């Protein structure tokens, strides 16, 4: 009897876990409904680093598709062309497969209708004096209940010629055998792998089984990538294994003999928060809040800042943590002009599909980026795509702010069309206007929009000031301020 009760308890627990996991988590739990709770284990990974090249970032909405692509810009044009070809190729293939073919239907869609996402992130390494390695991580999110598609793309380049080097020309005889032996030994002896590796791993990890042909090189060794479900349960995600060069002596052509020194990260002084200039706001006069998402993107954001500065007004910038790190000077200028800088997440993921751990990790990374760059953490958050379901609301420790007027600037890319949306709104008092700080056309529209609003008698305020002066309250962490609030 006792035993039966236990069985029922376990069954109930398993079902409950399976159900909770489905909606909110990424599809790991859906694919493994019978697995008991998985403690958050971080697979051993080499430090994620973008050691070379300037970070380029491209966010593009083409509802129902959205692209969030980061890639390095190198000093060698030959290499850049190959990187761009690769990025455009990925985009093209994604659109080909998933875009809505009906033009009329496509025109009707807004940013909130984005439901297929292509993400690209990267690591870039110095391998040796004349070789670099770029590893791209592609993720396709195709829906709430579909497992994301994840792929690793590896490029090695000769920095003198700009030519791509293929892995086949780097490895020597005996490399596959040595890599296989090391990997089997590592995974069968170390946590958290040794009890999780799938049954017939010796066959899967045999030298000729195709797992060791592709690899990335950095200054320390050779990195192999094992896809989710390849040799471990999906809960471990993709597993990266670095084999130090010393374990593969004489098995590589022209690399790994002596690793070049890795540039030490400079010690930085703690950042002093930037003081906000004094401004006077009349709570009885009409006010409107301009907001710019997805930046900073220096050229366009600076042009917007020029327009704000010219008229002595402010806006709110919802910046991405990854770009705050890349372009600190632009963010500092936003603050110096008295603008509010909020978080738009670290890398623009669709939060409605993230797990609790993934949300927490994104929040932490963004806080760090802000703290290390401008000395303060963000207090307001605009969810990417405006996607903010109850689960997200519960787990974001910031005030969440969406908008009440969507200029559709990302779609029209036309200053006149943007102004037309604004003029058609009627009374704008208390409203929050959504724009994007990464398009030339949005910057151009701002130059017209600011004097227009001032002429109409509006004060330009930040979103926090709007809450304070229009509603007499401070924005509160964990609450969503959306369309109905900013009316
Ligand atoms: Zn955005």
């Amino acid at each position: 009897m006792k035993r039966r009760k236990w069985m029922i308890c376990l069954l109930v627990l398993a079902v409950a876990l399976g159900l909770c996991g489905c909606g909110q988590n990424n599809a790991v739990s859906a694919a493994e409904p019978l697995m008991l709770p998985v403690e958050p284990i971080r697979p051993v990974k080499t430090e994620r680093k973008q050691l070379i090249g300037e970070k380029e970032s491209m966010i593009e909405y083409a509802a129902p598709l959205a692209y969030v692509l980061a890639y390095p810009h190198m000093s060698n044009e030959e290499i850049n062309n190959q990187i761009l070809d690769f990025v455009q190729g990925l985009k093209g293939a994604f659109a080909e497969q998933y875009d809505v073919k009906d033009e009329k239907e496509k025109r009707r869609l807004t940013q909130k209708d984005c439901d297929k996402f292509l993400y690209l992130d990267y690591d870039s390494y110095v391998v040796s004096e004349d070789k670099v390695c770029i590893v791209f991580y592609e993720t396709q999110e195709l829906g709430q209940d579909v497992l994301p598609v994840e792929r690793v793309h590896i490029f090695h380049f000769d920095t003198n010629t700009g030519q791509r080097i293929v892995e086949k020309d780097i490895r020597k005889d005996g490399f596959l055998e040595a890599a296989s032996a090391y990997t089997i030994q590592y995974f069968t002896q170390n946590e958290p792998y040794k009890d999780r590796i799938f049954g017939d791993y010796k066959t899967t990890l045999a030298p000729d089984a195709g797992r060791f042909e592709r690899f990335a090189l950095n200054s320390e060794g050779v990195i192999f990538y094992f896809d989710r479900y390849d040799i471990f349960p999906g809960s471990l995600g993709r597993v990266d294994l670095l084999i130090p060069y010393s374990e593969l002596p004489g098995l590589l052509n022209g690399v790994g003999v002596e690793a070049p020194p890795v540039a030490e990260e400079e010690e930085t002084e703690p950042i002093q928060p930037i003081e906000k200039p004094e401004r006077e706001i009349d709570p009885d006069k009409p006010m409107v809040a301009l907001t710019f998402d997805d930046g900073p993107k220096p050229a366009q954001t600076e042009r917007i800042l020029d327009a704000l500065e010219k008229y002595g007004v402010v806006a709110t910038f919802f910046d991405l943590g990854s770009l705050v790190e890349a372009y600190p000077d632009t963010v500092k200028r936003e603050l110096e002009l008295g603008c509010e800088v909020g978080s738009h997440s670290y890398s623009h993921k669709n939060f409605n599909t993230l797990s609790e751990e993934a949300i927490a990790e994104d929040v932490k990374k963004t806080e760090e980026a802000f703290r290390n760059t401008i000395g303060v953490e963000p207090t307001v958050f605009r969810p990417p795509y405006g996607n903010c379901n109850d689960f997200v609301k519960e787990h974001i420790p910031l005030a969440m702010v969406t908008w009440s007027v969507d200029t559709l600037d990302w779609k029209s890319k036309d200053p006149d069309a943007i102004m037309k949306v604004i003029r058609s709104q009627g009374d704008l008092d208390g409203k929050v206007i959504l724009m994007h700080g990464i398009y030339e056309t949005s910057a151009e529209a701002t130059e017209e929009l600011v004097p227009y609003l001032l002429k109409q008698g509006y004060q330009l305020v930040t979103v926090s000031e709007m809450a304070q002066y229009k509603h007499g309250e401070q924005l509160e962490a964990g609450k969503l301020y959306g369309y109905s609030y900013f009316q």
Side-chain angles (χ1 to χ4, degrees):
M1 193 60 196
K2 224 176 180 185
R3 197 187 152 128
R4 218 180 122 191
K5 251 189 188 165
W6 264 109
M7 293 292 283
I8 291 170
C9 272
L10 268 178
L11 195 66
V12 169
L13 184 70
V15 169
L17 284 167
L19 287 180
C20 301
C22 273
Q24 314 296 356
N25 273 316
N26 50 33
V28 171
S29 39
E32 292 171 28
L34 291 177
M35 281 203 52
L36 280 171
V38 185
E39 64 273 36
I41 294 163
R42 306 299 314 156
V44 171
K45 279 187 184 168
T46 56
E47 269 298 291
R48 177 163 274 216
K49 288 265 165 73
Q50 295 170 346
L51 290 174
I52 39 169
E54 297 244 326
K55 183 172 188 158
E56 290 280 348
S57 149
M58 183 199 287
I59 299 183
E60 228 179 273
Y61 308 97
L65 312 184
Y67 304 93
V68 183
L69 312 174
Y71 53 93
H73 180 90
M74 316 287 283
S75 50
N76 183 312
E77 278 314 305
E78 185 71 28
I79 296 179
N80 286 334
N81 289 338
Q82 294 173 75
I83 292 174
L84 277 180
D85 278 352
F86 163 71
V87 174
Q88 293 301 347
L90 276 192
K91 264 186 78 182
F94 191 69
E96 177 72 27
Q97 193 165 5
Y98 297 111
D99 207 359
V100 170
K101 300 289 184 274
D102 181 351
E103 278 302 316
K104 215 169 138 196
E105 163 75 1
K106 199 168 164 59
R107 272 199 297 277
R108 197 187 55 77
L109 299 173
T110 74
Q111 194 184 324
K112 289 202 90 167
D113 297 311
C114 290
D115 64 358
K116 298 209 168 38
F117 306 87
L118 177 66
Y119 296 99
L120 189 68
D121 201 355
Y122 71 94
D123 287 337
S124 57
Y125 303 111
V126 180
V127 180
S128 61
E129 241 153 53
D130 59 357
K131 288 185 190 63
V132 293
C133 174
I134 301 166
V135 184
F136 288 101
Y137 307 98
E138 175 195 3
T139 308
Q140 299 183 359
E141 271 194 23
L142 304 170
Q144 207 122 323
D145 305 315
V146 191
L147 206 63
V149 177
E150 296 171 341
R151 291 194 191 102
V152 177
H153 307 265
I154 303 165
F155 292 82
H156 292 96
F157 293 106
D158 181 317
T159 48
N160 293 324
T161 63
Q163 296 296 309
R164 187 162 176 193
I165 311 163
V166 291
E167 283 97 288
K168 188 163 62 67
D169 294 338
I170 300 173
R171 59 183 154 83
K172 291 193 198 170
D173 287 348
F175 173 87
L176 298 177
E177 289 73 13
S180 160
Y182 181 96
T183 303
I184 291 176
Q185 192 185 24
Y186 187 89
F187 285 147
T188 51
Q189 291 183 1
N190 290 282
E191 296 288 358
Y193 308 109
K194 59 179 188 174
D195 300 324
R196 288 182 160 82
I197 192 159
F198 286 157
D200 192 15
Y201 60 85
K202 281 192 179 144
T203 309
T204 326
L205 295 177
D208 56 0
R211 295 296 194 290
F212 300 99
E213 267 87 359
R214 288 176 57 240
F215 51 82
L217 303 173
N218 70 9
S219 61
E220 298 158 34
V222 182
I223 310 167
F224 293 95
Y225 301 89
F226 300 92
D227 295 336
R228 189 188 287 259
Y229 299 112
D230 195 356
I231 48 170
F232 298 110
S235 53
L236 286 188
R238 189 194 70 235
V239 171
D240 306 353
L241 178 69
L242 179 116
I243 304 184
Y245 286 127
S246 56
E247 301 287 338
L248 301 163
L251 296 175
L252 293 152
N253 271 321
V255 283
V257 187
E258 202 172 295
V262 179
E264 292 272 319
E265 272 184 33
E266 284 171 40
E267 286 266 330
T268 43
E269 305 241 317
I271 312 273
Q272 295 303 320
I274 293 163
E275 269 192 40
K276 221 176 152 185
E278 291 270 320
R279 284 177 32 251
E280 265 185 34
I281 297 163
D282 183 347
D284 300 322
K285 270 177 67 181
M287 57 188 83
V288 62
L290 290 181
T291 62
F292 296 94
D293 289 8
D294 295 357
K297 190 170 189 188
Q300 290 72 29
T301 309
E302 295 285 352
R303 187 171 169 186
I304 290 168
L305 289 170
D306 288 344
L308 300 177
E309 190 174 21
K310 180 174 170 189
Y311 295 97
V313 297
V314 300
T316 304
F317 291 87
F318 288 103
D319 286 341
L320 292 169
S322 58
L323 298 182
V324 167
E325 281 169 351
Y327 308 114
D329 292 343
T330 306
V331 188
K332 284 179 192 153
R333 187 170 170 224
E334 291 169 0
L335 285 170
E336 279 159 6
L337 294 182
C339 294
E340 181 164 23
V341 181
S343 158
H344 194 40
S345 82
Y346 189 78
S347 55
H348 215 277
K349 295 213 166 85
N350 171 18
F351 274 55
N352 279 359
T353 61
L354 294 189
S355 67
E356 187 178 341
E357 291 80 27
I359 292 176
E361 192 181 318
D362 189 283
V363 169
K364 192 171 144 248
K365 270 172 84 178
T366 312
E367 280 174 354
E368 271 168 18
F370 274 65
R371 204 170 47 235
N372 295 338
T373 310
I374 51 176
V376 285
E377 289 174 4
T379 58
V380 288
F381 173 73
R382 172 166 286 163
Y385 319 98
N387 282 351
C388 193
N389 62 21
D390 288 343
F391 186 80
V392 175
K393 269 187 254 171
E394 241 172 76
H395 291 94
I396 294 283
L398 303 168
M400 285 153 272
V401 174
T402 56
W403 56 84
S404 44
V405 177
D406 185 350
T407 59
L408 296 174
D409 62 334
W410 59 273
K411 199 172 195 180
S412 69
K413 303 233 177 88
D414 175 6
D416 293 338
I418 294 167
M419 286 305 298
K420 208 170 147 195
V421 172
I422 300 287
R423 288 202 187 91
S424 69
Q425 295 293 318
D427 188 5
L428 288 166
D429 187 21
K431 301 223 165 151
V432 170
I433 296 175
L434 168 66
M435 293 177 76
H436 294 80
I438 56 172
Y439 306 116
E440 205 56 36
T441 40
S442 301
E444 198 184 326
T446 308
E447 291 165 355
E448 193 179 336
L449 179 55
V450 170
Y452 169 82
L453 292 171
L454 291 175
K455 207 168 158 215
Q456 302 284 312
Y458 295 109
Q459 310 172 88
L460 294 185
V461 296
T462 66
V463 291
S464 291
E465 288 167 350
M466 182 69 90
Q468 188 182 341
Y469 292 99
K470 198 93 216 149
H471 301 272
E473 60 183 5
Q474 304 288 328
L475 292 174
E476 244 177 79
K479 267 193 172 177
L480 174 67
Y481 301 85
Y483 185 81
S484 55
Y485 187 80
F486 295 113
Q487 281 301 305

